[in-house]
Amino acid sequence: QVQLVESGGGLVQPGGSLRLSCTPSVSIVTFNPMAWYRQAPGSQRELVASMINGDSTNYADSVRGRFTISRDNARNTLDLHMASLKPEDTAVYYCNGIRSNGRMRNTYWGQGTQVTVSS
């Protein structure tokens, strides 16, 4: 079974920073693309940041310049570095990855990790 496990969430004050990590049960280089999503209470899930081919990145307008998505092959993790956090960043953050097998494209989701930005 392929699994993604997120970690690093918690309570942080506005203006603070957090690093989220996503650790798959198989080699991270077998996923393409990968992404971080988030879902706030009462809101739809939204794409936060994505990575294609291990280096090309895209960001939602709301986080561009504050968040950084990166892949660490040595640690076998996909990381989301979050800085200058705002209360509106409060959400459950999910790791997402796609693995291809011939014609098949399978998508995988982590269980989510809670990020709360509050004073």
Side-chain angles (χ1 to χ4, degrees), residues 42-80:
S43 300
Q44 294 186 353
R45 182 185 63 191
E46 66 173 341
L47 177 63
V48 175
S50 63
M51 173 176 288
I52 301 176
N53 298 327
D55 57 2
S56 298
T57 59
N58 288 283
Y59 298 92
D61 290 343
S62 59
V63 308
R64 186 176 294 109
R66 300 188 298 119
F67 290 12
T68 303
I69 187 172
S70 62
R71 193 180 75 186
D72 189 328
N73 292 346
R75 293 170 52 238
N76 202 49
T77 61
L78 179 76
D79 301 321
L80 184 68

Side-chain angles (χ1 to χ4, degrees), residues 70-118:
S70 62
R71 193 180 75 186
D72 189 328
N73 292 346
R75 293 170 52 238
N76 202 49
T77 61
L78 179 76
D79 301 321
L80 184 68
H81 298 263
M82 305 183 294
S84 302
L85 284 162
K86 306 173 181 179
E88 50 263 46
D89 294 318
T90 295
V92 177
Y93 284 72
Y94 297 93
C95 178
N96 170 268
I98 294 174
R99 302 180 86 222
S100 297
N101 178 22
R103 300 179 183 271
M104 298 290 295
R105 283 170 55 89
N106 297 313
T107 186
Y108 299 91
W109 293 93
Q111 82 287 351
T113 185
Q114 176 72 49
V115 172
T116 302
V117 184
S118 176

Side-chain angles (χ1 to χ4, degrees), residues 24 26-32 34 71-73 76 98-99:
V26 297
S27 176
I28 199 160
V29 303
T30 65
F31 294 87
N32 189 35
M34 297 198 78
R71 193 180 75 186
D72 189 328
N73 292 346
N76 202 49
I98 294 174
R99 302 180 86 222

